Amino acid sequence: MVSGFESIQLATIILLVVAGFAAGWVDAVVGGGGLLQLPALLLVPGITPVQALATNKMGSIFGTTTSSVTFYRRVRPDLWTAIPMAVIALAGSFGGAVLAATLPASVFKPIIVAALIAVALFTAFKPDVGNLTVLRHDGRTHYVVACLIGAVIGFYDGLIGPGTGSFLVIALVSAMGYAFLEASAKAKIVNMATNAGALIFFLPHGSLLWGIGLLLGVANMAGGYLGARTAVKQGSRFIRIVFLTVVGALIIKLGYDVWHDTFA
């Protein structure tokens, strides 16, 4: 069992704790905490990209579990929709992780950047979207759409990862008609499942740095609890603002990756 603390300095440990807390807060509100946590993990001496991805998932699942419970106690999201989505998303995430072992993420990043830009423009130019829950579907169609969202975004999380929570939120808002607050509550439950699906794949491969993963988990729990309480208190308007900020950061980060992979 490898802890990850074998050659790490105190300054890096402190940075990991701060990044884990901030990632937990961002994940609880709109998703996208991996933007903060993954770069911090890559500063650990000798860590490989696969170890960083696996350890990031381990830390994140603590945060998403905590924020899921906090949201459920205060928002009471519809579990009849959230649980089937979560189960399908777990399977999708496992499948994405399997494919990630054979295909480079750079193949898919240009598509993801284009999708993020479309999401940002849609949210920015439709300020009333997500203020109130007005469901677009009923009956069986509602659950079919929910499960399709879970499958596609779960697969994305296992394959690439960054922004999974943000994609879940905007899909629940735009395709299903939920308000941002209700969408965030459901997204946390589904995101917890996608983290679990990727971990199921990574565990047998010995990729986890257990010590660092547990440290990040504790920091994520604290950030996730505070973030969920903040989101519930501030409501959908606040979540929309944070959402646009995180999506903008994702566009810059993944856009730079695409430019670097193409022209560097």
Side-chain angles (χ1 to χ4, degrees), residues 28 110 129 131 153 192 208 225 236-237 241 243 254 256 260 262:
V129 170
N131 287 336
I153 299 179
M192 176 177 64
L208 285 173
Y225 177 74
S236 290
R237 175 175 161 74
I241 293 169
F243 174 82
L254 293 177
Y256 172 79
H260 185 270
T262 305

Side-chain angles (χ1 to χ4, degrees), residues 120-131:
L121 292 173
F122 174 84
T123 307
F125 288 103
K126 287 186 172 289
D128 294 331
V129 170
N131 287 336

Side-chain angles (χ1 to χ4, degrees), residues 41-224:
L41 276 167
L42 292 171
L43 296 176
V44 175
I47 195 170
T48 67
V50 172
Q51 286 176 323
L53 285 170
T55 307
N56 176 60
K57 291 298 181 188
M58 183 179 180
S60 295
I61 199 169
F62 282 85
T64 50
T65 301
T66 301
S67 56
S68 294
V69 173
T70 305
F71 265 116
Y72 179 74
R73 292 173 62 185
R74 287 166 171 77
V75 180
R76 297 289 177 178
D78 171 26
L79 294 182
W80 289 104
T81 300
I83 290 177
M85 277 187 76
V87 172
I88 297 294
L90 187 151
S93 180
F94 180 87
V98 171
L99 187 60
T102 59
L103 289 178
S106 58
V107 173
F108 302 92
K109 282 181 179 177
I111 301 171
I112 303 305
V113 172
L116 283 167
I117 292 171
V119 163
L121 292 173
F122 174 84
T123 307
F125 288 103
K126 287 186 172 289
D128 294 331
V129 170
N131 287 336
L132 297 171
T133 293
V134 182
L135 295 181
R136 302 184 186 282
H137 313 285
D138 55 16
R140 183 179 298 176
T141 304
H142 174 87
Y143 296 105
V144 169
V145 173
C147 289
L148 283 173
I149 291 170
V152 172
I153 299 179
F155 182 80
Y156 166 79
D157 191 27
L159 182 65
I160 301 176
T164 295
S166 300
F167 277 123
L168 282 168
V169 168
I170 197 58
L172 287 164
V173 169
S174 61
M176 301 197 69
Y178 285 106
F180 270 103
L181 182 59
E182 176 79 7
S184 288
K186 283 184 171 60
K188 298 297 96 57
I189 296 170
V190 179
N191 205 178
M192 176 177 64
T194 63
N195 285 330
L199 273 177
I200 291 170
F201 173 78
F202 285 127
L203 278 171
H205 294 76
S207 301
L208 285 173
L209 301 179
W210 289 91
I212 291 176
L214 290 172
L215 178 71
L216 286 174
V218 172
N220 261 256
M221 287 174 67

